[in-house]
């Protein structure tokens, strides 16, 4: 095999600090209270900020689930599988996740 010339790492950075931040933005959706029992087909989606701070779990459709209407026809869902408010399970509080504003840590030690 031919040798690969990797670019040198940025000054003072190593490990995960080498990767660009913000490559996978947080999803915004309905917050699922920890004690709320979800019916089949729904799941909690846990996320964390680039700084590693956890945010509240949001409601998503399970990848193996396709919701159906009263006549048994599939209901179209968003491509990202985040449950819209009108398709949330009955009795679940309707609170949207407020995305945290992250501070850039810049060149801090």
């Amino acid at each position: 095999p031919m040798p690969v010339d990797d670019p040198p790492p940025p000054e003072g950075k190593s490990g995960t600090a080498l990767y660009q931040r913000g490559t996978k933005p947080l999803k915004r959706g309905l917050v699922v209270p920890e004690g709320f029992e979800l019916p089949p087909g729904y799941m909690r989606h846990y996320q964390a900020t680039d700084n590693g701070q956890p945010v509240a779990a949001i409601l998503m459709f399970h990848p193996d689930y396709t919701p159906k209407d009263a006549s048994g026809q599939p209901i179209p869902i968003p491509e990202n599988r985040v449950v819209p408010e009108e398709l949330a399970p009955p009795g679940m509080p309707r609170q949207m996740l407020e995305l945290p504003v992250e501070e850039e840590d810049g060149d801090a030690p």
Side-chain angles (χ1 to χ4, degrees):
M2 303 267 308
V4 176
D5 292 330
D6 289 331
E11 185 79 25
K13 292 191 177 190
S14 63
T16 59
L18 293 172
Y19 297 95
Q20 180 180 355
R21 296 174 52 151
T23 56
K24 189 172 183 185
L26 293 173
K27 291 177 171 61
R28 188 166 184 266
L30 293 170
V31 173
V32 183
E34 283 302 320
F36 187 80
E37 189 171 333
L38 292 174
Y42 294 94
M43 60 183 257
R44 285 176 172 82
H45 177 66
Y46 294 94
Q47 309 176 93
T49 66
D50 287 337
N51 293 330
Q53 297 299 318
V55 295
I58 63 167
L59 185 64
M60 291 186 70
F61 290 111
H62 190 278
D64 298 332
Y65 178 73
T66 302
K68 297 188 167 86
D69 64 17
S71 64
Q73 297 300 313
I75 296 172
I77 61 171
E79 191 173 310
N80 65 5
R81 303 196 72 80
V82 174
V83 177
E85 193 170 342
E86 63 273 12
L87 296 178
M92 193 182 102
R94 305 300 201 267
Q95 175 192 350
M96 290 300 285
L97 175 66
E98 293 297 326
L99 297 177
V101 176
E102 289 194 82
E103 294 181 18
E104 289 293 324
D105 56 7
D107 296 325

